[in-house]
CSV table of all heavy atoms in Angstrom, one decimal:
chain,number,residue,atom,x,y,z
P,418,GLU,N,0.8,-1.2,0.0
P,418,GLU,CA,0.0,0.0,0.1
P,418,GLU,C,0.9,1.2,0.0
P,418,GLU,O,2.0,1.2,0.5
P,418,GLU,CB,-0.9,0.0,1.2
P,418,GLU,CG,-1.9,-1.1,1.2
P,418,GLU,CD,-2.9,-1.0,2.5
P,418,GLU,OE1,-2.6,-0.2,3.4
P,418,GLU,OE2,-3.9,-1.6,2.5
P,419,ALA,N,0.3,2.3,-0.5
P,419,ALA,CA,1.1,3.6,-0.4
P,419,ALA,C,1.4,4.0,1.0
P,419,ALA,O,0.5,3.9,1.8
P,419,ALA,CB,0.2,4.6,-1.2
P,420,ALA,N,2.6,4.4,1.2
P,420,ALA,CA,2.9,4.8,2.6
P,420,ALA,C,2.3,6.1,2.9
P,420,ALA,O,2.1,7.0,2.0
P,420,ALA,CB,4.5,4.9,2.7
P,421,SER,N,1.9,6.3,4.1
P,421,SER,CA,1.3,7.5,4.6
P,421,SER,C,2.2,8.3,5.5
P,421,SER,O,2.3,9.6,5.6
P,421,SER,CB,-0.1,7.4,5.3
P,421,SER,OG,0.1,6.5,6.4
P,422,SER,N,3.0,7.5,6.4
P,422,SER,CA,3.9,8.2,7.3
P,422,SER,C,5.2,8.5,6.7
P,422,SER,O,5.7,7.8,5.8
P,422,SER,CB,4.1,7.2,8.5
P,422,SER,OG,2.9,7.0,9.2
P,423,GLY,N,5.7,9.6,7.2
P,423,GLY,CA,7.2,10.0,6.8
P,423,GLY,C,7.5,11.4,7.4
P,423,GLY,O,6.9,11.8,8.3
P,424,ASP,N,8.6,11.8,7.0
P,424,ASP,CA,9.3,13.0,7.6
P,424,ASP,C,9.2,14.2,6.8
P,424,ASP,O,9.7,15.2,7.1
P,424,ASP,CB,10.7,12.7,8.1
P,424,ASP,CG,11.6,12.4,6.9
P,424,ASP,OD1,11.1,12.4,5.8
P,424,ASP,OD2,12.8,12.1,7.1
P,425,PHE,N,8.3,14.2,5.7
P,425,PHE,CA,8.2,15.3,4.7
P,425,PHE,C,7.0,16.2,5.1
P,425,PHE,O,5.9,15.6,5.4
P,425,PHE,CB,8.2,14.9,3.4
P,425,PHE,CG,8.3,16.0,2.3
P,425,PHE,CD1,9.6,16.6,2.1
P,425,PHE,CD2,7.2,16.3,1.6
P,425,PHE,CE1,9.6,17.6,1.2
P,425,PHE,CE2,7.2,17.4,0.6
P,425,PHE,CZ,8.4,18.0,0.4
P,426,SER,N,7.1,17.5,5.1
P,426,SER,CA,6.0,18.3,5.4
P,426,SER,C,5.8,19.4,4.3
P,426,SER,O,6.7,19.8,3.6
P,426,SER,CB,6.2,19.0,6.7
P,426,SER,OG,7.3,19.9,6.7
P,427,ILE,N,4.6,19.8,4.1
P,427,ILE,CA,4.2,20.9,3.2
P,427,ILE,C,3.4,21.9,3.9
P,427,ILE,O,2.7,21.6,4.9
P,427,ILE,CB,3.5,20.3,2.0
P,427,ILE,CG1,2.2,19.7,2.4
P,427,ILE,CG2,4.3,19.4,1.2
P,427,ILE,CD1,1.2,19.4,1.2
P,428,ASP,N,3.7,23.2,3.6
P,428,ASP,CA,3.0,24.3,4.2
P,428,ASP,C,1.5,24.2,3.9
P,428,ASP,O,1.2,24.0,2.7
P,428,ASP,CB,3.6,25.6,3.8
P,428,ASP,CG,4.9,25.8,4.4
P,428,ASP,OD1,5.1,25.5,5.6
P,428,ASP,OD2,5.8,26.5,3.7
P,429,GLY,N,0.7,24.4,4.8
P,429,GLY,CA,-0.8,24.4,4.7
P,429,GLY,C,-1.3,23.1,5.2
P,429,GLY,O,-2.6,23.0,5.3
P,430,VAL,N,-0.5,22.1,5.5
P,430,VAL,CA,-1.0,20.8,6.0
P,430,VAL,C,-0.2,20.4,7.3
P,430,VAL,O,1.0,20.5,7.3
P,430,VAL,CB,-0.8,19.6,5.0
P,430,VAL,CG1,-1.2,18.3,5.5
P,430,VAL,CG2,-1.5,19.9,3.7
P,431,ALA,N,-1.0,20.2,8.4
P,431,ALA,CA,-0.3,19.9,9.7
P,431,ALA,C,0.4,18.5,9.6
P,431,ALA,O,0.0,17.6,9.0
P,431,ALA,CB,-1.3,19.8,10.8
P,432,GLY,N,1.5,18.5,10.4
P,432,GLY,CA,2.2,17.2,10.5
P,432,GLY,C,3.1,16.9,9.3
P,432,GLY,O,3.3,17.7,8.4
P,433,THR,N,3.6,15.7,9.3
P,433,THR,CA,4.5,15.2,8.3
P,433,THR,C,3.8,13.9,7.6
P,433,THR,O,3.0,13.2,8.2
P,433,THR,CB,5.9,14.8,8.9
P,433,THR,OG1,5.7,13.8,9.8
P,433,THR,CG2,6.6,16.0,9.4
P,434,ALA,N,4.4,13.5,6.5
P,434,ALA,CA,3.9,12.3,5.7
P,434,ALA,C,4.9,11.9,4.8
P,434,ALA,O,6.1,12.5,4.7
P,434,ALA,CB,2.6,12.7,5.0
P,435,ALA,N,4.6,10.9,4.0
P,435,ALA,CA,5.6,10.3,3.0
P,435,ALA,C,5.6,11.3,1.9
P,435,ALA,O,4.6,11.9,1.5
P,435,ALA,CB,5.1,9.0,2.5
P,436,ARG,N,6.8,11.5,1.3
P,436,ARG,CA,7.0,12.4,0.2
P,436,ARG,C,6.4,11.8,-1.1
P,436,ARG,O,6.8,10.7,-1.4
P,436,ARG,CB,8.4,12.9,0.1
P,436,ARG,CG,8.6,14.0,-0.9
P,436,ARG,CD,10.1,14.4,-0.9
P,436,ARG,NE,10.9,13.5,-1.5
P,436,ARG,CZ,12.2,13.8,-1.9
P,436,ARG,NH1,12.8,14.9,-1.6
P,436,ARG,NH2,12.9,12.8,-2.6
P,437,VAL,N,5.7,12.6,-1.9
P,437,VAL,CA,5.4,12.3,-3.3
P,437,VAL,C,6.0,13.2,-4.2
P,437,VAL,O,5.9,14.4,-4.2
P,437,VAL,CB,3.8,12.3,-3.5
P,437,VAL,CG1,3.5,11.9,-4.9
P,437,VAL,CG2,3.2,11.4,-2.4
P,438,GLN,N,6.9,12.6,-5.2
P,438,GLN,CA,7.5,13.5,-6.2
P,438,GLN,C,6.6,13.4,-7.5
P,438,GLN,O,6.3,12.4,-7.9
P,438,GLN,CB,8.9,12.9,-6.4
P,438,GLN,CG,9.6,13.7,-7.6
P,438,GLN,CD,11.0,13.4,-7.8
P,438,GLN,OE1,11.8,13.0,-6.9
P,438,GLN,NE2,11.5,13.5,-9.1
P,439,LEU,N,6.4,14.6,-8.0
P,439,LEU,CA,5.5,14.7,-9.2
P,439,LEU,C,6.4,15.4,-10.3
P,439,LEU,O,6.8,16.5,-10.1
P,439,LEU,CB,4.2,15.5,-8.9
P,439,LEU,CG,3.3,15.0,-7.9
P,439,LEU,CD1,2.2,16.0,-7.7
P,439,LEU,CD2,2.7,13.7,-8.4
P,440,ASP,N,6.6,14.6,-11.4
P,440,ASP,CA,7.3,15.2,-12.5
P,440,ASP,C,6.3,15.4,-13.7
P,440,ASP,O,5.8,14.4,-14.2
P,440,ASP,CB,8.4,14.2,-13.0
P,440,ASP,CG,9.6,14.1,-11.8
P,440,ASP,OD1,10.1,15.1,-11.4
P,440,ASP,OD2,9.7,12.9,-11.5
P,441,PHE,N,6.1,16.6,-14.0
P,441,PHE,CA,5.1,17.0,-15.1
P,441,PHE,C,6.0,17.0,-16.4
P,441,PHE,O,6.9,17.8,-16.6
P,441,PHE,CB,4.6,18.3,-14.9
P,441,PHE,CG,3.6,18.3,-13.7
P,441,PHE,CD1,4.0,18.2,-12.4
P,441,PHE,CD2,2.2,18.3,-13.9
P,441,PHE,CE1,3.1,18.2,-11.3
P,441,PHE,CE2,1.3,18.3,-12.9
P,441,PHE,CZ,1.8,18.3,-11.6
P,442,ILE,N,5.7,16.0,-17.3
P,442,ILE,CA,6.4,15.9,-18.6
P,442,ILE,C,5.9,16.8,-19.7
P,442,ILE,O,4.7,16.7,-20.0
P,442,ILE,CB,6.4,14.4,-19.0
P,442,ILE,CG1,6.8,13.5,-17.9
P,442,ILE,CG2,7.4,14.2,-20.2
P,442,ILE,CD1,8.1,13.8,-17.2
P,443,ASN,N,6.7,17.6,-20.2
P,443,ASN,CA,6.3,18.6,-21.3
P,443,ASN,C,5.0,19.2,-21.0
P,443,ASN,O,4.0,19.1,-21.7
P,443,ASN,CB,6.1,17.8,-22.6
P,443,ASN,CG,7.5,17.2,-23.1
P,443,ASN,OD1,8.5,17.8,-23.0
P,443,ASN,ND2,7.3,16.0,-23.7
P,444,PRO,N,4.9,20.0,-19.8
P,444,PRO,CA,3.7,20.5,-19.3
P,444,PRO,C,3.2,21.7,-20.1
P,444,PRO,O,1.9,22.1,-19.8
P,444,PRO,CB,4.1,20.9,-17.9
P,444,PRO,CG,5.5,21.3,-18.0
P,444,PRO,CD,6.1,20.3,-18.9
């Protein structure tokens, strides 16, 4: 299953979670 726990945080969301990298190809 996709991991939910991790040490990465984003502004606007409380706490930390697993990091998701998004690469937009020829956007």
